[in-house]
Amino acid sequence: MAAGAGALAPLPGVPSASLHEFPYPPQSRPRVSGGSPAGGVPPATDLVLGATAGCLACVLTNPLEVVKTRLQLQGELQPPGTYPRPYRGVLRALGAVRRADGLRGLQKGLAASLLYQGLMNGVRFYCYSHAEDAGWTRYPGGTVAAGAIAGAVGAFVGSPAYLVKTHLQAQTLSSVAVGHQHNHESISGAFESIYRQHGVAGLWRGVTGAVPRVAVGSAAQLATFASAKDWVCEHQWFGEGSWAAVLAGGMVSGVAVAVAMTPFDVVSTRLYNQPVDADGTVRPKEGLLGLYKGIGAVYLRLGPHTVLSLFFWDELRKMVQHQQPPGP
């Protein structure tokens, strides 16, 4: 998703896009007849393409999401050093998942992850575009505020899919199981089981942790990505508009997002997976570092998604533009 007005200068021929869960909304563009932007891609199409790009990136980074979920559930509500650790670090955790669940285990919960990405990113694009049309992003801090609000709405809409994703990704063999095991057979079976036991409200269980998680992550990304990219270009580390500059900006922004979002991410994962609420219990029992469990996997997931989203967004827009008839 391209950044909001005044937040990120677009690359030549490449609309700016996003990290894994926080794509940038499209830039304000001059309009032509029929409501389409001058670039030839209607705003509604841009929204669909952005959600699609996020889903494509999700396919490649879902294994890190599985690992992150296991790391964050490991030693749940137990003091450090008092529990077994089947998952130690990102690389060794990837190996542990493969040994326990096979190669397919690295893509556990993929269908639910894709559903979540499509719902959340689609709503995010829609809400941010409205904020942009209303001129909110032209005010100081407007881009960050609009991104956070859009993220919060998107998180609420996508919450049921994130709930099922967390349940499915936590499931594994009892010898390496961490967190509560819900034993769902499929994504449809998970939705049915949750609805049958807890009703409609049960599908939104954990949303109180998801909304601040995504809002904080969106705000941190929007506030740091553009400035980090501009900084490396000003110091002539990379050329203006180069992929290296975009990658560097994304990695720096990824650090900010990971640091700001991980505590909310840990609590959110616990709330979604536990049979009882986890509010207020992580820090007293696991210490401050317990709020940063899985931060390595969080960061390694966010960085690649910046570049992947840019690539997929650009290619999808080119495909759409090639299908459109030439202008008069």
Side-chain angles (χ1 to χ4, degrees), residues 27-51:
Q27 294 248 4
S28 298
R29 295 178 293 257
R31 304 277 173 177
V32 296
S33 60
S36 297
V41 179
T45 304
D46 258 339
L47 302 186
V48 174
L49 296 184

Side-chain angles (χ1 to χ4, degrees), residues 108-186:
K108 275 198 170 184
L110 178 60
S113 294
L114 292 173
L115 178 60
Y116 172 70
Q117 289 299 314
L119 288 172
M120 191 197 67
N121 288 337
V123 171
R124 181 191 303 274
F125 273 96
Y126 180 81
C127 293
Y128 195 99
S129 294
H130 272 286
E132 197 172 48
D133 289 343
W136 296 356
T137 56
R138 291 194 293 268
Y139 294 99
T143 297
V144 175
I149 293 172
V153 177
F156 180 85
V157 172
S159 185
Y162 198 92
L163 171 68
V164 171
K165 176 202 77 70
T166 303
H167 287 190
L168 293 174
Q169 291 179 340
Q171 290 180 185
T172 186
L173 299 177
S174 58
S175 59
V176 292
V178 291
H180 185 75
Q181 300 291 290
H182 295 270
N183 300 318
H184 300 305
E185 295 294 331
S186 63

Side-chain angles (χ1 to χ4, degrees), residues 16 68 98 106 132 146 150 157 213 237 242 251 253 274 280:
S16 296
K68 183 215 74 171
R98 185 192 64 78
L106 294 172
E132 197 172 48
V157 172
R213 166 186 173 270
W237 288 10
S242 69
M251 290 301 179
S253 180
Q274 280 188 338

Side-chain angles (χ1 to χ4, degrees), residues 75-86:
E76 186 173 6
L77 305 183
Q78 299 179 55
T82 63
Y83 55 87
R85 295 178 59 193

